[in-house]
Amino acid sequence: MYPQLLTYLFEFIKYQDQVIKTLQTLLIGKSMFDKPPEQPVNKPYRKLQVDELPIIEVPEKLDYQVLRTEFLAKHGKPLNPVRRHKNTKISVPKSLICPKCGAPSDYLYANNGAKGQYRCKVCTCLFSDKNRFLKEVILKCPHCSKSLEKIKERQDFDVFKCKNNECPYYQKKRNGMSSKEKKRFKKDPQAFKMRYIYRKFRIDFQPLSKESPELPIVDLSRIYSSPHVLGLTLTYHVNYGLSARKTAAIMQDVHGVAISHQTILNYVNSVALILKPYIDHYPYELSDQFCGDETYIRVNGRWHYLFFFFDAVKKIILSYPVSPNRDTISAIRAIDEVLLKMEDIPENLTFVVDGNPIYLLAQHFFAQNGISFDIKQVIGLTNEDPVSTEFRPLKQIIERLNRTFKGNYRSTHGFGSEKGSVSFVTLFVAYFNFLRPHASLEGKVPVTNPELLGLPTMPARWTKLIELAQQWIREQRIA
Ligand SMILES: [Zn+2]
Ligand SMILES: [Zn+2]
């Protein structure tokens, strides 16, 4: 086969495809590749403002046994357990201990009985069953240093509020209201966020927990006739974004290879299994600037979200989870996958994301787990906001990435299964990080591997990449 002719044919097919799309756009008035009418939930973000972190105080812990010894030394007599009246109706649960000094229930008074308040005889601490936890960690308003009050329990977090009327945060909000706003506030106080709010997460997720890679057992030698055929199919399907059907057609028409589109989809699944641990555990050299964005993909006829996180300087995709929901836990997972790829967490670590509040909630979640980074949100389309101006180029980078992905993905017409979608996304990431030259990297591939780049054609590079991944898996097995 003459390579020039092939390239020409290829460009011609792409051109035809473009003409068809343009015609459809003109005829129907809108591109059929636009999102169909039943769209993923894309309501304007609820105006959730996320305030800075509270002051977290861990109160001094006392030891009741030390306190009892001190009592004995000072008073010359031991501090005895509480003597309870025989006919008292109020009992202290046996399992209850003092949250401050650890004294057992024998040393606790039922202070006001039915209301569930207790007093410790050893350290005089007052507490109730409800605020026990607050005695272990005290959350205080960063504006007025008063203790926060728990006002709501949500699925993933508890909401705490500063109810102090003298709080500078509240005062400033109140005084900043126009008379019109004040009127509305009287009628509908819920419409305004007047007070400092803090969300304490109860998400069952341990950040930075390194799992050993899942090492798949896939025997490629049984599923394809020649590595070159596999390399060609992946090139058409992933690099050029041709659908599996078109790829099958071009394999037949141009190369004389009979291969069904289903076989191509099976290839995609198998190769993705092999490449995933390799691209996820590759020792990437990273910067400290990262962008994140969500895009939609269709899985089983339903919209899902693909979270992309990406080194903005090195142009390396680090995280690409697919989730049916655009929620905080998905944002946390996506960011965690980026953090896992860092040797140390850099001091000036910054994530540039859109205006979705889930990223701020994720930032709070990590901060609560001792992992700090900056979130810069690029909101809206105008450049009025100073943050937006500075970080707009980064945002544009990720939007370009999204366009590249959609360009390759759109022809696949969504995925029949979640596995299929993850497989295609995995291959796209492999292509993007290891095979695709990048204009802003002076035409270089983000990860420069001489073993790959020394090869003359893309199919050869795909087969080499698969070989490297298989070799890596073998090494992991031995290790
Ligand atoms: Zn106590
Ligand atoms: Zn306050």
Side-chain angles (χ1 to χ4, degrees):
M1 186 50 56
Y2 306 99
Q4 285 92 347
L5 178 62
L6 186 57
T7 315
Y8 168 74
L9 273 176
F10 201 78
E11 283 312 313
F12 184 70
I13 290 164
K14 276 182 81 175
Y15 171 67
Q16 274 189 324
D17 201 39
Q18 200 50 55
V19 170
I20 292 165
K21 278 179 205 166
T22 312
L23 280 174
Q24 278 163 339
T25 310
L26 290 173
L27 288 173
I28 307 165
K30 82 194 239 310
S31 165
M32 70 175 284
F33 295 97
D34 278 352
K35 280 174 232 147
E38 39 95 37
Q39 277 187 12
V41 190
N42 194 12
K43 285 181 271 182
Y45 299 123
R46 198 161 56 89
K47 277 205 181 109
L48 166 69
Q49 297 171 47
V50 180
D51 294 321
E52 61 270 61
L53 287 171
I55 303 164
I56 299 172
E57 269 187 19
V58 180
E60 174 198 13
K61 279 265 177 189
L62 302 170
D63 182 338
Y64 81 100
Q65 280 171 326
V66 174
L67 291 177
R68 284 188 66 218
T69 316
E70 282 171 8
F71 186 94
L72 181 65
K74 197 173 167 193
H75 301 279
K77 56 174 185 176
L79 182 67
N80 291 320
V82 175
R83 227 182 298 153
R84 303 196 202 277
H85 294 290
K86 281 237 165 78
N87 52 359
T88 181
K89 284 192 181 114
I90 302 145
S91 64
V92 177
K94 274 272 167 240
S95 59
L96 198 67
I97 57 164
C98 170
K100 196 168 177 183
C101 74
S105 66
D106 290 349
Y107 292 91
L108 303 178
Y109 295 107
N111 205 46
N112 63 350
K115 285 193 177 155
Q117 204 182 50
Y118 303 97
R119 191 162 61 82
C120 173
K121 188 179 175 185
V122 186
C123 72
T124 70
C125 167
L126 258 180
F127 65 97
S128 70
D129 226 6
K130 274 190 183 155
N131 73 2
R132 272 181 59 75
F133 146 80
L134 291 174
K135 296 279 165 183
E136 286 160 26
V137 180
I138 301 171
L139 299 171
K140 288 184 170 174
C141 172
H143 300 276
C144 68
S145 306
K146 288 269 188 291
S147 292
L148 301 176
E149 222 175 282
K150 183 154 103 180
I151 55 158
K152 259 180 227 146
E153 288 184 10
R154 297 261 187 236
Q155 192 192 333
D156 294 336
F157 50 82
D158 295 334
V159 184
F160 290 81
K161 192 181 202 173
C162 173
K163 286 195 168 173
N164 175 17
N165 285 340
E166 308 302 315
C167 179
Y169 184 101
Y170 174 68
Q171 297 262 325
K172 201 177 155 204
K173 289 262 168 168
R174 247 208 116 102
N175 297 337
M177 280 174 138
S178 67
S179 53
K180 214 175 156 186
E181 283 171 327
K182 275 182 189 156
K183 257 189 203 160
R184 204 179 144 211
F185 179 62
K186 266 193 187 152
K187 267 199 239 155
D188 182 17
Q190 294 299 316
F192 294 83
K193 181 185 177 297
M194 302 292 289
R195 294 176 186 272
Y196 171 84
I197 294 281
Y198 170 65
R199 290 165 186 81
K200 187 175 195 314
F201 290 94
R202 280 184 273 103
I203 291 173
D204 184 24
F205 182 84
Q206 193 52 47
L208 300 186
S209 42
K210 280 200 186 180
E211 283 167 25
S212 44
E214 258 178 59
L215 303 172
I217 301 165
V218 182
D219 185 4
L220 277 185
S221 66
R222 303 179 70 175
I223 66 158
Y224 64 91
S225 42
S226 87
H228 185 61
V229 167
L230 179 65
L232 272 174
T233 350
L234 294 175
T235 305
Y236 290 134
H237 188 48
V238 182
N239 300 37
Y240 291 93
L242 291 184
S243 69
R245 276 178 204 281
K246 277 189 186 168
T247 304
I250 214 170
M251 290 304 290
Q252 176 71 64
D253 297 350
V254 180
H255 303 279
V257 175
I259 185 170
S260 74
H261 80 278
Q262 189 52 52
T263 306
I264 291 170
L265 294 176
N266 295 345
Y267 284 5
V268 167
N269 281 333
S270 308
V271 174
L273 279 176
I274 293 171
L275 291 182
K276 187 162 174 52
Y278 184 68
I279 58 179
D280 286 353
H281 292 86
Y282 193 86
Y284 297 110
E285 273 176 49
L286 302 176
S287 77
D288 53 9
Q289 300 285 308
F290 299 89
C291 299
D293 201 4
E294 316 105 57
T295 187
Y296 315 112
I297 63 174
R298 263 178 103 70
V299 178
N300 278 336
R302 282 196 52 217
W303 285 108
H304 279 54
Y305 300 93
L306 168 61
F307 288 76
F308 265 130
F309 271 86
F310 170 82
D311 187 316
V313 181
K314 307 277 177 142
K315 318 286 177 207
I316 296 169
I317 301 172
L318 298 165
S319 158
Y320 47 95
V322 173
S323 162
N325 304 308
R326 189 191 224 169
D327 53 9
T328 309
I329 187 75
S330 305
I332 289 172
R333 286 220 170 87
I335 290 176
D336 192 62
E337 275 185 38
V338 179
L339 298 175
L340 274 170
K341 292 184 179 60
M342 299 172 178
E343 269 184 47
D344 301 295
I345 292 176
E347 219 160 89
N348 296 318
L349 178 60
T350 307
F351 289 96
V352 180
V353 290
D354 61 26
N356 195 330
I358 56 175
Y359 295 113
L360 290 177
L361 291 168
Q363 180 194 26
H364 274 229
F365 172 80
F366 281 105
Q368 284 168 30
N369 284 280
I371 302 158
S372 303
F373 50 78
D374 233 1
I375 289 277
K376 303 279 182 199
Q377 293 198 301
V378 183
I379 303 158
L381 295 164
T382 58
N383 263 358
E384 281 157 39
D385 180 25
V387 174
S388 303
T389 316
E390 187 189 343
F391 290 95
R392 187 154 304 277
L394 289 178
K395 174 76 175 165
Q396 280 162 352
I397 289 169
I398 194 109
E399 279 171 350
R400 223 170 288 142
L401 163 70
N402 264 339
R403 273 202 299 280
T404 309
F405 172 72
K406 279 184 186 148
N408 291 36
Y409 151 79
R410 98 181 359 155
S411 63
T412 61
H413 295 298
F415 303 101
S417 66
E418 195 154 324
K419 189 175 138 210
S421 68
V422 174
S423 295
F424 187 87
V425 174
T426 306
L427 292 192
F428 177 80
V429 173
Y431 158 64
F432 197 90
N433 288 358
F434 292 90
L435 302 173
R436 182 179 182 268
H438 215 287
S440 65
L441 298 172
E442 297 164 327
K444 285 197 188 112
V445 173
V447 179
T448 47
N449 184 332
E451 278 200 81
L452 286 172
L453 304 173
L455 296 166
T457 66
M458 197 51 81
R461 282 176 216 158
W462 268 113
T463 30
K464 186 76 197 173
L465 183 61
I466 295 167
E467 201 183 303
L468 291 174
Q470 283 177 313
Q471 197 183 316
W472 185 84
I473 291 170
R474 273 195 296 275
E475 284 163 14
Q476 296 300 307
R477 284 232 172 80
I478 296 163

